[in-house]
Amino acid sequence: MIIFATLRMSIRALRRNTLRTLLTMLGIIIGVGAVIAMVSIGNGAKAQVEAQIASLGQNVILVMSGNFSRGGFAMGFGSMPTLTKEDYESIRREVSGVAASSPEVRTAAQIAVGSQNINSSILGVGDEYPDVRSWPIASGAIFTEQDVRGANKVAVIGKTTATTLFGEGDPVGQIIRIKNAPFVVTGLLSSKGMSMMGQDQDDIVLVPYTSAMKRLSGVTTFRSFQIKSVSSEAVTEVQQQITDLLRQRHKIEPGKDDDFLVRTQQEITQTATEASRVMTLLLGSIASVSLLVGGIGIMNIMLVSVTERTREIGIRLAVGARSRDILLQFLIEAIALSLVGGILGIFLGMGGSTLVSSKMGWATLISMDSIVISFLFSGAIGIFFGFYPARKAAQLDPIDALRYE
Amino acid sequence: MKAEANGHPVIQLDEMSKTYHTGEVDVHAVRGVSLTVKPGEFLAIMGASGSGKSTMMNIIGCLDRPTGGRYLLDGVDVNDLNRDELALLRNQKLGFVFQGFNLLSRTSALENVELPMLYNRDGMSSREQRERGLKALEMVGLSDRADHHPNQLSGGQQQRVAIARSLVNEPKLLLADEPTGNLDSHTSIEIMGIFQKLNRQGMTVVMVTHELDIARYTMRNVVMRDGRVVSDVPVANRLDAADELEKLRAEQQAIQLAP
Ligand SMILES: Nc1ncnc2c1ncn2[C@@H]1O[C@H](COP(=O)(O)OP(=O)(O)OP(=O)(O)O)[C@@H](O)[C@H]1O
Ligand SMILES: [Mg+2]
């Protein structure tokens, strides 16, 4: 009733000066739009990190070689060669609850088929690698344990590599030359698509780690082991066993730091999620600054409006409007201004985020939360920045307001 | 419109004064006015410019407060009332007509008339408000202009919209500060006709004017000078607006018929 009539009145007052209303709302529109778009970019990144880590495979434990530091600068895990073939074999032998496992060495080499030459990343792994990574073979088979033991010249290739080298034809049984050594293709991996960093995960060649170490790179230590536990409940237990075993093998005294790192998939997810959460927060708070600026714009225009309409206020007071009626009128006007701006901003943000994902190829994720919060927040901005002008209007003296020129 | 049962005067001013403090000097706009207006009276307040008429009207209309003395409106001392209670009085008991009309410019005549009902606390339905608004417009003879905006209306029509607005909540007291100040004599008489009609129905009307002939349509003339009442007399040969309009029409016809 009175609220409804007041709302109608406010909307009419706003429509009377469409351009000004629109310009005033622009701050809120841009602010809300920026918040929605930024948060959607942050959330998209987070979702991708999570998907990426999930693609490691279920219940996977990652063992990385030592953190090599020199003069206080950490070079990152994997930079010191501490994981040996013997370490791997003893884990396989002594740790219980392991469903599948594989070590990993990485190298890049030139691959040739006929006159064709490409550079591809070569992964030296064990025969259980597809199992660990939950990465099925599309055609053919993974190389066998004997191939690994014998450091045989066999390979399993990714979809992109296969298409580049052989077109649409079946690569199984074909010969590829890696560093001039002929390798027989035994299998084709199913397609995995792009990684978060925009890398093509299907541009890959898997060979037995023994072959990679002996024939291709000459390294004798591993970058990491990937171990899959039998169940999610067993993960922690397996992690503990590996830690104990490696400490014992590396003769690390109690109280000293590990020279390796054992991380479960869950822990990695947590770290990555935390990082992207911080990023989302940062992007969101930068965008909120424009919301604040939008609010100040609303306050400014409402103050102008109160001054311009002093006579109107006087007339209303003269016919019996109470202070709170006037307060409500201007407050509702400010709230309407910011809410409509908020709604338009939501559309702008959604459009912007769609544009970013289509033009820049970034993953974006518009969450219902950010929409609802932006909407409520813009309403709150209307109340906060509209209150002072509205109160100024409500405190006018009837006779002074009527006399105002 | 309502019969006065409790016998209070509608307006009772006791040594009422108003002093404006502007900068160095104090302006004594009203200096101790005592005045009693009984229900059903029709009063004209007259006097030279600056004699304090508007100041007094604004106080009577509860738009302003006296700085000295007492003002009882319908037996209630307005000094005891707060801002919201005064707003309630303006809404329910008082109708105010201004010299400058004071209409909301971008809303229709009908919406202007409905405005006081928006702040009426009885919670009327919008349909009821509309009906009452139209009735008030009909009372001032403007039913056919309900949807016109003020800038589409003549001065006389605008003033009639303002009168309709002041009547719509059925006030006890109608106050008009130079309601005919901006109007030609014919339109002024029409406005006087409306006031006389309302007054005959029982409404108390107090009006400021500096036109002697307009004051003759009322029942009682109060003259002010320098913030004081210097004369307060009943009108001897009261004019009737309907008669005067009839006379005017006849005169005009005579002019047109003359060769
Ligand atoms: N807000 C104000 N501040 C200071 N002085 C004022 C104010 N309003 C009126 N006055 C002074 O009070 C005196 C009375 O003014 P008021 O408006 O009541 O006169 P009036 O009789 O209505 O005159 P008019 O016929 O010209 O309308 C004048 O001297 C005027 O200057
Ligand atoms: Mg005056």
Side-chain angles (χ1 to χ4, degrees), chain B residues 13-245:
Chain B
L13 297 173
D14 291 332
E15 285 301 309
M16 191 276 283
S17 62
K18 175 78 183 181
T19 307
Y20 291 107
H21 307 280
T22 42
E24 304 286 290
V25 285
D26 285 356
V27 180
H28 300 282
V30 178
R31 311 165 185 249
V33 166
S34 296
L35 186 74
T36 304
V37 178
K38 290 194 281 298
E41 281 200 86
F42 188 179
L43 212 75
I45 296 173
M46 303 171 71
S49 184
S51 56
K53 308 182 294 289
S54 293
T55 305
M56 193 164 90
M57 283 297 268
N58 291 338
I59 289 167
I60 293 173
C62 294
L63 292 166
D64 210 351
R65 288 174 186 272
T67 48
R70 281 207 313 168
Y71 167 33
L72 305 187
L73 172 63
D74 208 14
V76 178
D77 192 336
V78 296
N79 252 333
D80 300 339
L81 303 179
N82 65 26
R83 225 184 120 105
D84 282 355
E85 286 164 336
L86 288 180
L88 183 68
L89 275 186
R90 290 196 296 271
N91 189 251
Q92 300 287 304
K93 286 200 173 166
L94 296 166
F96 211 112
V97 179
F98 303 89
Q99 176 175 4
F101 317 142
N102 273 336
L103 298 174
L104 296 183
S105 55
R106 290 179 191 93
T107 47
S108 70
L110 181 60
E111 284 168 307
N112 265 291
V113 174
E114 286 178 2
L115 194 63
M117 291 185 283
L118 186 67
Y119 302 113
N120 191 330
R121 266 133 274 181
D122 307 340
M124 255 180 281
S125 72
S126 55
R127 187 211 177 106
E128 201 180 337
Q129 292 186 15
R130 198 182 150 78
E131 274 166 12
R132 278 179 67 168
L134 284 170
K135 218 179 90 196
L137 276 175
E138 194 186 304
M139 165 98 210
V140 297
L142 267 186
S143 312
D144 53 335
R145 295 284 194 278
D147 295 327
H148 287 56
H149 283 201
N151 59 4
Q152 298 167 321
L153 296 172
S154 73
Q157 288 169 333
Q158 288 185 52
Q159 193 58 297
R160 283 191 275 173
V161 172
I163 293 169
R165 180 179 67 191
S166 71
L167 297 176
V168 79
N169 268 347
E170 299 179 343
K172 191 162 254 169
L173 174 60
L174 182 66
L175 301 169
D177 192 353
E178 299 199 37
T180 61
N182 287 341
L183 306 176
D184 64 49
S185 60
H186 185 267
T187 318
S188 299
I189 298 171
E190 281 178 354
I191 300 290
M192 284 305 108
I194 296 171
F195 284 177
Q196 283 188 333
K197 188 165 87 182
L198 289 166
N199 180 240
R200 270 195 296 274
Q201 290 170 353
M203 187 178 291
T204 314
V205 182
V206 177
M207 178 181 86
V208 169
T209 183
H210 56 252
E211 294 162 88
L212 276 167
D213 49 335
I214 291 296
R216 288 179 61 202
Y217 291 92
T218 68
M219 291 156 62
R220 177 179 163 195
N221 289 356
V222 173
V223 180
M224 291 184 72
R225 190 185 302 145
D226 289 335
R228 288 194 183 88
V229 173
V230 291
S231 127
D232 185 348
V233 290
V235 175
N237 297 314
R238 200 175 167 208
L239 297 175
D240 183 85
D243 292 349
E244 294 305 309
L245 283 173

Side-chain angles (χ1 to χ4, degrees), chain A residues 188-246:
Chain A
L188 173 69
L189 284 162
S190 58
S191 176
K192 209 160 188 168
M194 290 283 197
S195 80
M196 181 185 55
M197 313 302 181
Q199 255 171 353
D200 184 359
Q201 301 182 86
D202 297 324
D203 181 12
I204 198 169
V205 176
L206 302 181
V207 298
Y209 63 89
T210 43
S211 317
M213 291 163 103
K214 219 156 97 185
R215 302 180 194 280
L216 302 177
S217 71
V219 298
T220 53
T221 54
F222 294 105
R223 194 167 173 271
S224 65
F225 303 147
Q226 291 176 25
I227 289 144
K228 184 180 184 173
S229 80
V230 287
S231 66
S232 54
E233 292 80 42
V235 168
T236 322
E237 168 64 19
V238 172
Q239 184 186 19
Q240 192 56 49
Q241 286 184 57
I242 294 171
T243 309
D244 293 345
L245 179 68
L246 288 179

Side-chain angles (χ1 to χ4, degrees), chain A residues 29-52:
Chain A
I29 294 174
I30 292 175
V32 168
V35 168
I36 300 262
M38 290 300 166
V39 169
S40 86
I41 290 170
N43 280 340
K46 186 172 128 196
Q48 257 207 336
V49 169
E50 279 165 5
Q52 174 89 0

Side-chain angles (χ1 to χ4, degrees), chain A residues 143-329:
Chain A
F143 36 76
T144 61
E145 218 189 317
Q146 283 86 339
D147 288 330
V148 175
R149 229 179 288 132
N152 290 346
K153 288 180 274 186
V154 286
V156 171
I157 61 178
K159 185 93 181 129
T160 307
T161 316
T163 316
T164 319
L165 293 174
F166 303 108
E168 290 308 309
D170 190 358
V172 176
Q174 305 275 6
I175 306 286
I176 58 175
R177 301 183 73 84
I178 307 175
K179 281 197 173 166
N180 275 327
F183 279 69
V184 180
V185 177
T186 65
L188 173 69
L189 284 162
S190 58
S191 176
K192 209 160 188 168
M194 290 283 197
S195 80
M196 181 185 55
M197 313 302 181
Q199 255 171 353
D200 184 359
Q201 301 182 86
D202 297 324
D203 181 12
I204 198 169
V205 176
L206 302 181
V207 298
Y209 63 89
T210 43
S211 317
M213 291 163 103
K214 219 156 97 185
R215 302 180 194 280
L216 302 177
S217 71
V219 298
T220 53
T221 54
F222 294 105
R223 194 167 173 271
S224 65
F225 303 147
Q226 291 176 25
I227 289 144
K228 184 180 184 173
S229 80
V230 287
S231 66
S232 54
E233 292 80 42
V235 168
T236 322
E237 168 64 19
V238 172
Q239 184 186 19
Q240 192 56 49
Q241 286 184 57
I242 294 171
T243 309
D244 293 345
L245 179 68
L246 288 179
R247 279 183 76 90
Q248 186 199 329
R249 288 187 54 83
H250 293 185
K251 304 194 172 57
I252 298 166
E253 286 160 29
K256 287 264 169 73
D257 285 344
D258 295 346
D259 63 352
F260 57 90
L261 189 75
V262 186
R263 282 280 177 271
T264 64
Q265 189 198 346
Q266 220 177 356
E267 290 167 341
I268 298 167
T269 312
Q270 268 167 15
T271 319
T273 307
E274 178 61 22
S276 46
R277 204 181 63 85
V278 169
M279 175 174 121
T280 307
L281 211 69
L282 206 74
L283 289 175
S285 33
I286 291 168
S288 319
V289 173
S290 48
L291 257 183
L292 196 74
V293 174
I296 294 169
I298 285 185
M299 178 144 122
N300 183 29
I301 281 301
M302 288 313 293
L303 281 171
V304 170
S305 177
V306 167
T307 310
E308 277 178 354
R309 286 155 67 192
T310 303
R311 244 184 122 78
E312 177 194 325
I313 295 164
I315 293 168
R316 290 180 185 276
L317 288 170
V319 301
R322 290 162 300 176
S323 295
R324 77 185 85 145
D325 296 323
I326 302 293
L327 183 90
L328 200 69
Q329 181 188 344

Side-chain angles (χ1 to χ4, degrees), chain A residues 363-401:
Chain A
T364 58
L365 190 77
I366 297 164
S367 69
M368 202 57 211
D369 284 5
S370 66
I371 289 177
V372 170
I373 289 170
S374 305
F375 185 75
L376 295 180
F377 196 67
S378 50
I381 279 181
I383 294 173
F384 185 80
F385 288 102
F387 188 77
Y388 175 72
R391 206 189 53 163
K392 220 180 140 195
Q395 284 176 342
L396 283 172
D397 190 60
I399 198 73
D400 290 342

Side-chain angles (χ1 to χ4, degrees), chain A residues 11-46:
Chain A
I11 287 171
R12 195 193 293 177
L14 293 175
R15 278 182 35 185
R16 202 172 289 154
N17 215 330
T18 327
L19 182 64
R20 180 158 105 185
T21 302
L22 225 69
L23 288 175
T24 310
M25 286 192 303
L26 205 58
I28 295 287
I29 294 174
I30 292 175
V32 168
V35 168
I36 300 262
M38 290 300 166
V39 169
S40 86
I41 290 170
N43 280 340
K46 186 172 128 196

